[in-house]
Amino acid sequence: MQTRFKPFSYSKEKGFTLIEIMVVVIILGILAAIIVPRVVDRPEQARIVKAKQDILAIQDALDLYKLDNGFYPTNEQGLQALVIKPTLSPVPQNSKDGAYLPRLPLDPWGKPYFYSNPGVHNSSGIDIFTYGPKGQTQGDNQSIIGNWNAGS
């Protein structure tokens, strides 16, 4: 049995009209105007969350240091005392190299975290902070992320 193929026929409507395409482009433009600003802001929010997590991890390491040695590192010893046993006085007796942190993290903007003992913001007596996305020279009190506000 032979099958007959119908010849291909063209219909009068061959595609979309210019108005239909323009309507779709306008709708996509409106959606992009709504969605893009929300998506673009996310990386900065993620950096702030990372900084808060780093600060809380450093705070935990400092609490372990104090538990082992009876005191927090001095300003001169700094956060480096969590990585390398300090040689400056007071020398901790129960501290070991790398026992608290394998290395000191940098904040998400590539700067080191700051440490202050005694601190003025935190009830534990020490402050750990970063100046945030604006940096130290342009930072204001709103952009500072510290252990006194990292939990919020």
Side-chain angles (χ1 to χ4, degrees), residues 77 84-92:
Q77 294 168 337
I84 298 171
K85 183 177 180 176
T87 55
L88 296 173
S89 182
V91 177

Side-chain angles (χ1 to χ4, degrees), residues 1 10-11 48 61 82 97 114:
M1 172 150 96
Y10 292 97
S11 65
I48 291 169
L82 300 173
D97 286 351
F114 295 92

Side-chain angles (χ1 to χ4, degrees), residues 20-77:
E20 290 171 331
I21 292 173
M22 287 176 57
V23 167
V24 170
V25 168
I26 289 171
I27 291 172
L28 290 175
I30 291 170
L31 287 174
I34 293 170
I35 294 172
V36 167
R38 292 181 184 180
V39 174
V40 170
D41 193 35
R42 295 287 186 212
E44 195 60 38
Q45 288 176 347
R47 287 184 191 98
I48 291 169
V49 168
K50 167 95 170 71
K52 289 180 178 183
Q53 291 173 340
D54 284 350
I55 287 169
L56 292 175
I58 293 169
Q59 176 73 52
D60 289 344
L62 284 165
D63 290 342
L64 284 173
Y65 181 98
K66 182 179 180 183
L67 186 66
D68 286 349
N69 300 295
F71 54 87
Y72 288 116
T74 64
N75 278 336
E76 292 77 25
Q77 294 168 337

Side-chain angles (χ1 to χ4, degrees), residues 131 134-140:
Y131 286 99
K134 294 183 179 181
Q136 186 173 5
T137 57
Q138 300 171 358
D140 54 14

Side-chain angles (χ1 to χ4, degrees), residues 114-152:
F114 295 92
Y115 171 72
S116 178
N117 180 10
V120 295
H121 294 97
N122 196 5
S123 61
S124 69
I126 58 169
D127 290 344
I128 309 152
F129 59 97
T130 179
Y131 286 99
K134 294 183 179 181
Q136 186 173 5
T137 57
Q138 300 171 358
D140 54 14
N141 289 336
Q142 299 292 338
S143 63
I144 295 175
I145 303 166
N147 57 338
W148 59 90
N149 64 6
S152 58

